[in-house]
Amino acid sequence: MPGFLRFWPYLLLILAGLILYGNTINHGYNIDDEYVVEQNPVLEKGWRGIGEIFTSRYVRTSGNLGELNFDYRPMVKFSFALEFLLLGKDPKISHIINLLLYIITAFCLYNLLRLLLKDWHFSLPLLITILFMVHPTHTEVVSSLKNRDEILSFLGAVVAWIFLIRYARTQNTKLLIFALLAYLFAYLSKSSAVVFLAVYPLSLYFFTDLRSKNLIWISGVVILVAIIAQFGPRLYLPDPIREIDFIENPLFMESSFFKRIATVAVIMLFYLRMLFVPYPMLYYYGYDTIPVAGFDNPWVLLSLAIHTGLLIVAVKGLRSKSLWSFVILFYFITLAPYSNLFTTVPGIVAIRFMYAASLAYAIAVVYGLYRLFKVDFQSKQLPLARITGPLLVVLIMAIPYTVHTHYRNRAWKNLDSLYHTDVPRLSRSAKVNAQYAGFIMNRLYKTPNFTLDDPALNFRTNKMIGHFKKAIDIYPDYFIALNNLGTVYMRLKHNPDSAVFFLNRAAEVLPDNETAFINLGSLYRDQGDYHKAIKTFEKVLEINPSRLRAMAEIAFLNNLIGNHEKAQQVNDQLLGIDPGSELPFLYRGNYYMRQGNMELAVHFWQLAVERRIHVPTCIRLAEYFAGKRDFDRANYYYNLAQQGRVEQ
């Protein structure tokens, strides 16, 4: 190939990447970014946090349903930590790096295809790479920072694939070592790289002349690396805490083997359709977007017919090493973990799960076009006129794909735009409706001087309630939606009857979860029904004896009803559990404030924040001393509040 031709394909790939995803550079953070990058303090520790990155789980968070602590993807967090250290924390920089990684992936993919199809004209792998790049299903991977794991994992797997093919043809041991290191990187970016344990031996069989004995031992070495990557970290990682529940995937509770198979058929048809017609692409699915199906569903029968036919073609082409056979098997292998056949998948389906499988689509389409137009692609010298047909078809396909990608990128600009675009199309997703309602709720709770007299705030409140109710209509036992709706009626709507109804429903759904009982106790307290509040907080302690806030509330309420001895007894018990707790002092301060004794209230609040910074109390103290014109102490507590916000 002439000198300049060595580089122009790469310039074309760079141009394609910039055209497709250049409009993501000014994007902000988006859904789930807070878990990985936006609010992850480990990433901001610089080199001091590297050890923690490699000895901790990928996601660590807690909420109404308890703690979540799952997955192990240290290379992704390391990439963000390195980025913050060298370039600072800025979502624009993160999006630029995602784009660069995508372009680098295209470079590596083009080189891989040139290796696999070494006897064919270079235009075939180039068009395959371009069609892969322009496929709109990649928007979720490139536009979402959280999904950098998909980019890094696939990139590492492709690089390992290149080294394996080169090793098979040269027997250079260094290439095998590089392949294993690249695969380890891929696996530690996301364990979905496990599918390449089947892809690698398949490609070695189809595209090299390796003997069966060599193919087996090479595959065995790669499997050994995967086993080490999977089980080695378990020696020092905390146990995972992650359970896929019904609201994410109804197959989690499905015991019928036949219904599972039927639903898997519908899911596979969904993925196949999205490869050819990628619309509409949505950020999340879950219950009840793809209902559990039976064999009386015509889509099940259609899917089984299509996929059975594809398998027959694949098996028939094995002996002759047909490219069709390889493409079909690659498609099945890369989608297998997300089919829900072997294990349930969060969200039941997801667009990002199609990232690797879209390569099978690109190969099939371009190869099919070369066959259709009877191009002699095994000729190294082809005039441009001979590939005009496939080139024009790919170009025609690329135009709507590019436009669609641009519009979809806009949806991923931030949370507002994502919800605005996707929620109207997800009317059957319980989790999305509850998630969107929770998003509005958190903003309303943070609105200064909130009042329903403001038409805009009243409209947003009613909109939020509508989405919570829609989530409950889809799934009546949705604890989070029931509990949150109860708190909305309690804190924003000031409708205690509705609040009690929904909080009691939440408590019925999960009677062993104290969250709804805490909210009920707070509601009874605010209504002045102190005895019922005490009983409710005692119920909290039955569920969780170490729930210190419930103990502090019980002591506070006993003081209010004049049972000071009982209050002191409960406070002593609380301090016995946590001698450094600020809660007894905080609540005693609240009690004296209610009695109108601000001097004693301030005294106990000061004792509370000496033990642990409590931001609202620090602000209250700052305002108190500012009113007394004691600006030194006012500034002290204001600065303490700022420090507390940073630490949170």
Side-chain angles (χ1 to χ4, degrees):
M1 184 182 290
F4 76 95
L5 288 181
R6 296 178 183 176
F7 301 105
W8 75 262
Y10 298 101
L11 295 175
L12 183 61
L13 297 179
I14 292 172
L15 182 63
L18 293 174
I19 291 173
L20 288 162
Y21 292 102
N23 67 333
T24 66
I25 291 174
N26 290 320
H27 285 190
Y29 294 115
N30 213 308
I31 193 84
D32 291 342
D33 282 347
E34 68 270 20
Y35 300 133
V36 181
V37 54
E38 184 182 6
Q39 299 172 16
N40 194 330
V42 177
L43 303 183
E44 300 178 18
K45 293 181 180 179
W47 294 114
R48 294 182 294 107
I50 301 301
E52 188 174 349
I53 286 172
F54 284 90
T55 55
S56 63
R57 294 278 178 184
Y58 184 57
V59 172
R60 288 183 296 176
T61 185
S62 59
N64 288 338
L65 295 180
E67 185 182 354
L68 293 175
N69 194 3
F70 60 92
D71 282 341
Y72 183 62
R73 303 172 193 173
M75 299 313 303
V76 184
K77 290 200 293 186
F78 178 72
S79 76
F80 282 115
L82 195 61
E83 173 191 321
F84 290 0
L85 185 68
L86 299 177
L87 303 170
K89 183 179 179 181
D90 186 341
K92 293 180 182 178
I93 293 173
S94 297
H95 284 291
I96 290 171
I97 291 175
N98 265 25
L99 172 54
L100 290 174
L101 288 170
Y102 189 61
I103 292 172
I104 292 169
T105 300
F107 288 175
C108 295
L109 187 57
Y110 172 60
N111 279 284
L112 171 65
L113 293 168
R114 291 290 307 278
L115 274 175
L116 297 180
L117 311 175
K118 63 183 178 65
D119 296 324
W120 296 5
H121 191 260
F122 82 95
S123 62
L124 187 73
L126 181 59
L127 284 181
I128 291 170
T129 306
I130 290 173
L131 188 57
F132 172 84
M133 288 187 75
V134 301
H135 203 281
T137 55
H138 299 176
T139 52
E140 184 173 338
V141 174
V142 184
S143 298
S144 167
L145 297 178
K146 186 268 296 185
N147 289 319
R148 184 180 290 183
D149 52 6
E150 298 282 357
I151 301 178
L152 291 177
S153 182
F154 185 69
L155 174 58
V158 168
V159 172
W161 199 348
I162 291 171
F163 283 125
L164 275 178
I165 296 295
R166 287 181 174 172
Y167 169 74
R169 292 173 180 170
T170 64
Q171 299 299 304
N172 185 335
T173 307
K174 287 183 180 179
L175 296 174
L176 178 60
I177 294 171
F178 292 152
L180 297 177
L181 291 174
Y183 182 71
L184 181 64
F185 173 89
Y187 202 97
L188 294 179
S189 295
K190 192 177 182 184
S191 60
S192 58
V194 69
V195 298
F196 286 89
L197 295 179
V199 170
Y200 293 152
L202 189 72
S203 63
L204 290 172
Y205 166 75
F206 272 89
F207 302 109
T208 71
D209 297 322
L210 268 186
R211 294 182 178 180
S212 299
K213 182 179 179 181
N214 290 337
L215 194 153
I216 291 171
W217 85 259
I218 292 173
S219 302
V221 172
V222 179
I223 290 172
L224 179 61
V225 170
I227 291 172
I228 293 171
Q230 176 65 24
F231 295 101
R234 295 188 183 186
L235 298 174
Y236 52 82
L237 288 175
D239 292 335
I241 306 172
R242 174 72 160 102
E243 188 175 271
I244 302 170
D245 59 19
F246 183 86
I247 206 68
E248 291 193 84
N249 189 335
L251 289 175
F252 179 73
M253 302 293 289
E254 185 53 60
S255 58
S256 169
F257 173 77
F258 295 104
K259 285 188 176 181
R260 177 178 284 272
I261 294 298
T263 308
V264 167
V266 172
I267 289 167
M268 290 299 290
L269 190 63
F270 166 86
Y271 284 131
L272 189 63
R273 181 187 71 80
M274 292 298 290
L275 283 173
F276 286 90
V277 186
Y279 182 87
M281 297 184 296
L282 304 167
Y283 82 90
Y284 186 84
Y285 291 84
Y287 180 79
D288 186 32
T289 54
I290 298 182
V292 173
F295 281 92
D296 56 342
N297 187 321
W299 297 113
V300 172
L301 301 178
L302 176 62
S303 178
L304 289 173
I306 292 173
H307 287 95
T308 301
L310 288 173
L311 277 175
I312 291 171
V313 171
V315 172
K316 282 186 174 181
L318 273 174
R319 185 180 293 274
S320 62
K321 297 186 178 182
S322 163
L323 186 61
W324 289 119
S325 178
F326 173 79
V327 168
I328 293 168
L329 292 173
F330 181 83
Y331 162 78
F332 277 110
I333 290 168
T334 52
L335 277 181
Y338 309 117
S339 67
N340 290 271
L341 180 61
F342 306 106
T343 183
T344 50
V345 177
I348 198 166
V349 295
I351 300 302
R352 66 185 180 277
F353 296 159
M354 303 169 63
Y355 188 45
S358 63
L359 175 59
Y361 167 81
I363 297 172
V365 169
V366 175
Y367 178 61
L369 288 172
Y370 273 65
R371 295 291 296 267
L372 179 66
F373 286 96
K374 298 180 180 179
V375 178
D376 183 14
F377 46 78
Q378 291 187 322
S379 171
K380 291 294 185 75
Q381 301 296 325
L382 272 178
L384 181 62
R386 293 293 298 123
I387 61 170
T388 301
L391 187 62
L392 283 176
V393 174
V394 171
L395 181 62
I396 291 169
M397 294 177 68
I399 292 172
Y401 278 4
T402 302
V403 172
H404 189 21
T405 296
H406 263 255
Y407 277 102
R408 189 58 189 160
N409 287 343
R410 294 180 186 178
W412 282 96
K413 183 175 179 62
N414 51 47
L415 265 176
D416 283 299
S417 59
L418 188 65
Y419 284 137
H420 177 76
T421 305
D422 284 15
V423 171
R425 298 191 182 113
L426 285 163
S427 60
R428 290 303 305 163
S429 175
K431 184 169 182 176
V432 165
N433 278 283
Q435 207 171 39
Y436 181 48
F439 172 72
I440 299 173
M441 179 185 73
N442 290 331
R443 286 195 167 180
L444 291 175
Y445 281 163
K446 295 175 182 178
T447 301
N449 305 316
F450 174 88
T451 173
L452 292 175
D453 294 333
D454 184 325
L457 293 177
N458 188 46
F459 172 79
R460 293 179 67 195
T461 302
N462 291 331
K463 184 178 183 180
M464 166 190 59
I465 290 173
H467 282 284
F468 272 134
K469 287 186 173 180
K470 188 177 288 187
I472 294 167
D473 287 342
I474 299 167
Y475 183 51
D477 290 342
Y478 197 171
F479 174 84
I480 290 176
L482 291 165
N483 178 69
N484 285 348
L485 188 53
T487 64
V488 165
Y489 277 116
M490 176 175 71
R491 295 174 59 181
L492 299 182
K493 278 290 191 178
H494 305 295
N495 183 337
D497 292 338
S498 294
V500 168
F501 173 79
F502 285 107
L503 289 173
N504 273 319
R505 278 286 296 118
E508 289 170 11
V509 170
L510 288 181
D512 294 331
N513 187 298
E514 68 264 29
T515 306
F517 291 105
I518 288 176
N519 289 326
L520 273 171
S522 301
L523 176 61
Y524 293 139
R525 179 202 64 208
D526 294 342
Q527 288 182 294
D529 194 342
Y530 301 140
H531 291 282
K532 188 177 283 190
I534 289 172
K535 287 184 179 179
T536 307
F537 283 118
E538 286 174 346
K539 175 65 177 176
V540 172
L541 292 180
E542 288 177 22
I543 299 169
N544 184 357
S546 62
R547 190 68 188 230
L548 300 185
R549 179 187 164 186
M551 299 178 73
E553 289 278 8
I554 291 170
F556 171 67
L557 291 163
N558 273 286
N559 270 324
L560 289 179
I561 63 176
N563 194 348
H564 302 298
E565 184 178 342
K566 176 65 174 177
Q568 186 60 49
Q569 179 185 342
V570 175
N571 273 331
D572 289 343
Q573 185 181 353
L574 192 160
L575 289 172
I577 297 172
D578 181 7
S581 176
E582 79 284 8
L583 293 175
F585 305 96
L586 182 63
Y587 277 84
R588 285 196 72 182
N590 294 345
Y591 166 71
Y592 283 116
M593 181 188 70
R594 283 200 175 208
Q595 303 305 308
N597 189 336
M598 284 304 296
E599 288 188 8
L600 273 178
V602 168
H603 170 71
F604 282 105
W605 287 338
Q606 287 177 302
L607 291 176
V609 299
E610 283 177 11
R611 289 167 170 258
R612 192 169 295 147
I613 297 174
H614 185 256
V615 173
T617 303
C618 289
I619 292 173
R620 188 179 286 173
L621 286 168
E623 291 172 347
Y624 172 80
F625 285 114
K628 294 287 186 180
R629 305 189 68 78
D630 187 345
F631 298 115
D632 288 339
R633 280 202 279 187
N635 287 331
Y636 170 77
Y637 287 109
Y638 175 77
N639 292 331
L640 210 59
Q642 293 297 105
Q643 178 186 333
R645 286 196 182 101
V646 171
E647 291 176 354
Q648 289 173 3

